[in-house]
Amino acid sequence: MLQNTGKLGGCTIFITGASRGIGKAIALKAARDGANVVIAAKTADPHPKLPGTIYTAAAEIEAAGGKALPCIVDVRDEKQINQAVEQAVEKFGGIDILVNNASAINLTGTLETPMKKVDLMLGINLRGTYLTKNPHILNLSPPLNLNPSWFKNHTAYTMAKYGMSMCVLGMAEEFKGSIAVNALWPKTAIQTAAMDMLGGSEIGKQCRKVEIVADAAYAILKKPTSFTGQFVIDEDILKKEGVKEFDVYAVEPGHPLLPDFFLDQEPEDLAKQMEEHGATPAFKRILSPDIVKTTEAVYRFDLSGEHAGVWYIDLKNDAGSAGSGDPPTKADVIMTLDSADFIKMFGGRLKPTMAFMSGKLKIKGDMGLAIKLEKMMAMMKSKL
């Protein structure tokens, strides 16, 4: 792993989405140098399923050797951003580095993406990036790969992420000589709750930990402002920094790794590789002609929380199907629940009936079909 050098000691770093995940990992890396960290995120109250608030993150940063300023910030709200900046200036005397980490993901096609979801993704990914301009800027966004394959299945999400990347191109030229503006993107999938949604619980084996992104961000942020306009891949810059052992970043050392989105590998190849190593999305494991024949129902899942969105399972038409977005035909049952409970439910750790009785799950439609889904899930779990 990349060792701390103290280069960021005394610097003030404003990080969006720093209450958990990659954002918090970057914050802790900087804190070990003695940096001041502004935690700009929305989570002020403990989430019943997801770890971390701006205040728990602040405590960890202080324990690591840094100084912390937790600020409640929705990056789409210019007033909240300005207030956080003013607080940072008042407490630390200014801001040296901005890390745009807050992001939203919704991998659906154009026709299946509601305008509210498009606005959420563009608002967080693009608008949030542009409003928060400061001396040294690092966007967590990909290189601009114009292969149509990266647009056909989730145009809105790709537009949102590439908007952040285009900000890097434009702002790097606009502020050349005074402010460094760069982008950072992982070479492989990074283990987060979102990856569980996309690949099931087994996806973790194909991922690296958030620490590799934090180390790569550290390598960029300690460079002079002449290093600007670069689209950096985490592994590449760490190799240049002399890092030779990368198994330390792996969730399961030695296991094949899944490349991240927007790089050279085709999306279909990524999905195939994911499934070859046992990472089929959990809710897809119940698909089979026999189960479609005995169930004959379409289920829709309206998710709230950290990974809000719509998912479906069609156990009624043809050989069955499952995925994100609205179902291909009208749903017979609509289930409303938190995304964390959705992951638990299809990971076999939460029964739908128990979730319903405890108030975690709301069901609209035939309750008998909901019970039938639970039986199908139990049957498939016994076969795994």
Side-chain angles (χ1 to χ4, degrees):
M1 299 182 77
L2 189 66
Q3 298 301 309
N4 281 66
T5 63
K7 192 81 180 267
L8 299 183
C11 291
T12 298
I13 305 178
F14 190 109
I15 306 178
T16 65
S19 60
R20 60 175 67 92
I22 290 173
K24 189 178 79 170
I26 294 173
L28 291 173
K29 184 71 176 179
R32 294 183 190 105
D33 268 8
N36 308 316
V37 181
V38 182
I39 308 157
K42 294 194 300 179
T43 309
D45 298 317
H47 191 282
K49 305 295 185 305
L50 297 168
T53 68
I54 57 175
Y55 304 112
T56 59
E60 290 183 56
I61 288 165
E62 298 272 358
K67 295 180 180 179
L69 174 63
C71 296
I72 302 173
V73 174
D74 181 334
V75 294
R76 295 166 293 170
D77 188 325
E78 186 171 7
K79 183 178 179 180
Q80 288 187 4
I81 292 170
N82 289 336
Q83 289 175 341
V85 169
E86 289 172 5
Q87 291 177 50
V89 172
E90 182 179 350
K91 182 165 183 175
F92 299 126
I95 297 173
D96 301 293
I97 296 167
L98 164 70
V99 177
N100 275 307
N101 167 69
S103 186
I105 181 170
N106 190 56
L107 302 180
T108 55
T110 303
L111 298 179
E112 291 77 32
T113 307
M115 281 308 299
K116 181 179 179 182
K117 186 64 66 174
V118 172
D119 187 63
L120 170 66
M121 289 188 294
L122 290 178
I124 293 178
N125 293 332
L126 176 54
R127 200 176 306 138
T129 300
Y130 194 72
L131 285 174
T132 331
K133 296 184 294 184
N134 285 294
H136 195 137
I137 301 172
L138 178 63
N139 285 358
L140 273 293
S141 64
L144 291 166
N145 184 344
L146 298 183
N147 185 334
S149 295
W150 291 114
F151 291 83
K152 66 178 182 180
N153 294 323
H154 38 75
T155 298
Y157 176 64
T158 300
M159 286 171 56
K161 294 307 293 186
Y162 283 12
M164 293 179 73
S165 300
M166 286 188 284
C167 284
V168 170
L169 283 178
M171 294 167 70
E173 285 298 309
E174 182 179 356
F175 303 117
K176 183 177 287 186
S178 58
I179 302 172
V181 186
N182 296 291
L184 173 62
W185 195 246
K187 182 174 182 177
T188 72
I190 303 298
Q191 187 184 37
T192 62
M195 288 306 298
D196 282 344
M197 296 282 287
L198 297 176
S201 59
E202 293 298 309
I203 191 68
K205 296 178 181 178
Q206 300 180 55
C207 296
R208 281 175 171 162
K209 303 171 188 175
V210 292
E211 283 76 15
I212 189 171
V213 184
D215 281 2
Y218 183 83
I220 294 169
L221 297 176
K222 65 187 182 73
K223 288 186 177 296
T225 55
S226 57
F227 185 85
T228 190
Q230 302 297 311
F231 290 86
V232 180
I233 302 301
D234 58 359
E235 183 177 306
D236 294 345
I237 194 167
L238 290 176
K239 284 181 177 178
K240 291 177 181 178
E241 290 286 322
V243 176
K244 297 179 180 179
E245 178 54 59
F246 286 88
D247 258 3
V248 67
Y249 294 115
V251 172
E252 186 172 305
H255 196 284
L257 294 168
L258 183 69
D260 204 356
F261 285 8
F262 305 120
L263 301 179
D264 295 330
Q265 201 159 345
E266 293 286 327
E268 290 79 6
D269 294 337
L270 291 182
K272 183 179 179 182
Q273 180 177 332
M274 187 188 299
E275 297 195 2
E276 281 177 351
H277 295 286
T280 305
F283 57 85
K284 288 190 177 183
R285 296 175 187 170
I286 66 173
L287 295 177
S288 75
D290 289 340
I291 287 182
V292 170
K293 186 177 180 180
T294 57
T295 307
E296 295 188 336
V298 177
Y299 300 85
R300 170 182 164 135
F301 303 89
D302 291 345
L303 307 183
S304 59
E306 183 78 358
H307 304 292
V310 176
W311 295 75
Y312 74 89
I313 302 176
D314 181 354
L315 297 176
K316 190 176 191 178
N317 301 295
D318 302 321
S321 62
S324 60
D326 291 325
T329 59
K330 183 179 178 180
D332 298 295
V333 180
I334 299 175
M335 297 184 175
T336 304
L337 68 163
D338 190 280
S339 56
D341 289 325
F342 177 76
I343 294 171
K344 285 184 177 181
M345 198 164 74
F346 284 94
R349 291 174 286 147
L350 178 65
K351 293 182 179 180
T353 50
M354 293 300 295
F356 176 75
M357 292 174 65
S358 64
K360 296 178 179 179
L361 170 66
K362 294 181 180 179
I363 298 175
K364 182 179 180 181
D366 189 337
M367 188 66 183
L369 290 175
I371 294 173
K372 187 178 285 189
L373 175 65
E374 181 172 311
K375 290 179 179 178
M376 295 301 104
M377 291 165 63
M379 184 174 72
M380 290 307 297
K381 183 180 178 182
S382 67
K383 294 180 179 180
L384 293 177

